[in-house]
Amino acid sequence: DIQMTQSPSTLSASVGDRVTITCRASQSISSWLAWYQQKPGKAPKLLIYKASSLESGVPSRFSGSGSGTEFTLTISSLQPDDFATYYCQQYNSLWTFGQGTKVEIK
Amino acid sequence: QVQLVESGGGVVQPGGSLRLSCAVSGFSLNSYGMHWVRQAPGKGLEWVAFIRYDGSNGSNKYYAASVKGRFTISRDNSKNTVYLQMNSLRTEDTAVYYCAKIAGGSSPFDPWGQGTLVTVSS
């Protein structure tokens, strides 16, 4: 099974900060990686697919990069609505989520 | 507008059974694969099961190791509904269960339903 490891688990940041979350796969997944945002009590929302493709309607301050085993999600200028938990997910071989990164207010 | 609505959650004793439903609208269910994902209280997301668009037999269904042999995913395209039959429930199955659609082939999960809470407790 492919394991996904996110870092950090928690991130404290301020509005306007540039934020980067890392996701590592235990083996190569090519570019079959997605990023989701989840707010308390809500279902996850797709942000990025195929490692770097922005889902329709998602603000351009979100971007994704990477391939193989190393991936990043970057928020260029953190907004109040972005405080949430973010998950990476591989869909190369079955499906696995990272453990999540909570972005909280500093 | 694509919508997924889960139902069937509730409180059940360990060893019991429950069947979850995911009613879809805004698209033709018979053309898409569907997933179930769960989230234990305060924890992360765990993939549970997948059924292919042509999932009428066992070879087109996939399960996480933690539920294999206890859970069964199925679909009724005429009712636009996907099901998750959960047997031999354990306390560790307590979670919010979400259904999610994929576009086809290698695709992310989008959209997701709002979730239904399953509590396994004596």
Side-chain angles (χ1 to χ4, degrees):
Chain A
D1 290 7
I2 298 176
Q3 309 301 318
M4 305 300 292
T5 304
Q6 282 181 241
S7 60
S9 297
T10 307
L11 190 160
S12 297
S14 302
V15 172
D17 283 354
R18 181 181 182 88
V19 165
T20 298
I21 299 168
T22 298
C23 180
R24 289 187 175 88
S26 59
Q27 63 189 74
S28 177
I29 58 170
S30 185
S31 295
W32 302 117
L33 184 104
W35 290 96
Y36 300 88
Q37 177 193 67
Q38 187 180 34
K39 296 181 179 178
K42 300 294 186 181
K45 172 189 170 185
L46 177 65
L47 300 176
I48 302 282
Y49 61 96
K50 212 169 178 185
S52 61
S53 296
L54 192 67
E55 174 70 352
S56 176
V58 173
S60 59
R61 62 181 179 272
F62 291 92
S63 64
S65 65
S67 66
T69 61
E70 295 261 343
F71 303 87
T72 59
L73 172 70
T74 300
I75 309 172
S76 60
S77 177
L78 198 65
Q79 298 302 301
D81 191 48
D82 301 338
F83 291 98
T85 300
Y86 294 85
Y87 294 92
C88 64
Q89 177 213 24
Q90 68 83 17
Y91 49 100
N92 177 72
S93 174
L94 296 184
W95 304 271
T96 319
F97 293 92
Q99 79 278 18
T101 296
K102 183 177 182 179
V103 177
E104 56 184 29
I105 301 172
K106 192 173 185 178
Chain B
Q1 179 187 355
V2 173
Q3 270 198 313
L4 290 71
V5 179
E6 302 93 337
S7 61
V11 180
V12 60
Q13 291 188 337
S17 298
L18 211 55
R19 188 178 81 159
L20 305 183
S21 299
C22 171
V24 310
S25 58
F27 66 99
S28 180
L29 182 61
N30 60 14
S31 298
Y32 296 94
M34 296 290 293
H35 289 270
W36 286 97
V37 177
R38 68 184 179 183
Q39 186 170 38
K43 302 297 184 183
L45 302 169
E46 179 188 16
W47 170 74
V48 172
F50 170 65
I51 185 166
R52 279 171 43 115
Y53 71 96
D54 55 353
S56 58
N57 62 56
S59 64
N60 294 328
K61 303 176 184 180
Y62 301 82
Y63 299 94
S66 58
V67 307
K68 199 168 187 177
R70 300 188 297 124
F71 289 12
T72 301
I73 189 171
S74 62
R75 62 196 297 152
D76 185 337
N77 293 333
S78 66
K79 295 184 177 179
N80 285 323
T81 302
V82 179
Y83 303 99
L84 186 68
Q85 177 67 43
M86 305 186 295
N87 298 332
S88 302
L89 282 162
R90 305 167 180 168
T91 55
E92 56 264 36
D93 295 319
T94 294
V96 173
Y97 285 73
Y98 297 97
C99 61
K101 169 185 172 289
I102 62 167
S106 292
S107 300
F109 297 7
D110 182 56
W112 299 54
Q114 87 289 350
T116 187
L117 176 61
V118 172
T119 302
V120 185
S121 173
S122 55

